[in-house]
Amino acid sequence: MTETTTAAAAPAPFLTAWFEILDSDTPNRILDLISDDFSLSILFSTGDGNAADFAGDRAALVGYLEQRERGTRTHHLLSATTLGQDELFLGEVRRAGEPEASFVAAGRVDEKNRLQRLLIGRSSEIRFA
């Protein structure tokens, strides 16, 4: 992430750090942050009413990382909150600095500070900024 907010001061510190790593030159480091029983669903619009869904465990996350256009998009925090072990994150995806899509992410962080559950939805059809 390119925001000046640090993960320690962020209202959703784990997901804030997650997106910073995802936007870095070494996004595969997020694989070190997931629990043994990790599961996810990442659903994003591909345009014209179509969508791609990556759902499952670590292997699904690896598949998601492999298909990403590394270094072309950045994630920007609009608002976030933490409720117990759950973090909620509303953001904007930008390509070359231009808004491309809005997204929401929900994550559950376990007692070992590992991501246990992740749900992300992204659409270019709505803007929150």
Side-chain angles (χ1 to χ4, degrees):
M1 286 191 18
T2 59
E3 305 300 328
T4 56
T5 305
T6 63
F14 194 96
L15 289 178
T16 298
W18 178 275
F19 290 115
E20 288 173 352
I21 293 169
L22 199 59
D23 290 347
S24 76
D25 292 335
T26 54
N28 285 0
R29 289 184 301 139
I30 63 173
L31 295 171
D32 296 332
L33 303 177
I34 61 175
S35 68
D36 292 338
D37 64 341
F38 174 77
S39 64
L40 83 151
S41 178
I42 301 174
L43 180 66
F44 59 90
S45 170
T46 57
D48 297 325
N50 297 310
D53 187 11
F54 292 85
D57 56 12
R58 180 184 180 90
L61 181 56
V62 168
Y64 171 76
L65 290 169
E66 288 174 351
Q67 64 82 44
R68 287 185 71 240
E69 297 175 42
R70 189 177 297 176
T72 61
R73 293 184 176 96
T74 55
H75 298 81
H76 300 266
L77 173 66
L78 299 178
S79 66
T81 192
T82 299
L83 303 166
Q85 61 187 125
D86 298 327
E87 294 187 3
L88 306 172
F89 191 107
L90 173 64
E92 180 176 76
V93 175
R94 298 178 190 162
R95 181 189 291 264
E98 293 297 317
E100 182 177 75
S102 294
F103 71 96
V104 293
R108 175 158 292 162
V109 181
D110 70 12
E111 64 282 347
K112 296 179 182 176
N113 203 34
R114 301 256 180 217
L115 194 60
Q116 189 175 23
R117 301 288 179 268
L118 179 64
L119 174 65
I120 298 176
R122 184 184 82 194
S123 175
S124 58
E125 301 301 318
I126 189 167
R127 296 285 192 279
F128 284 86

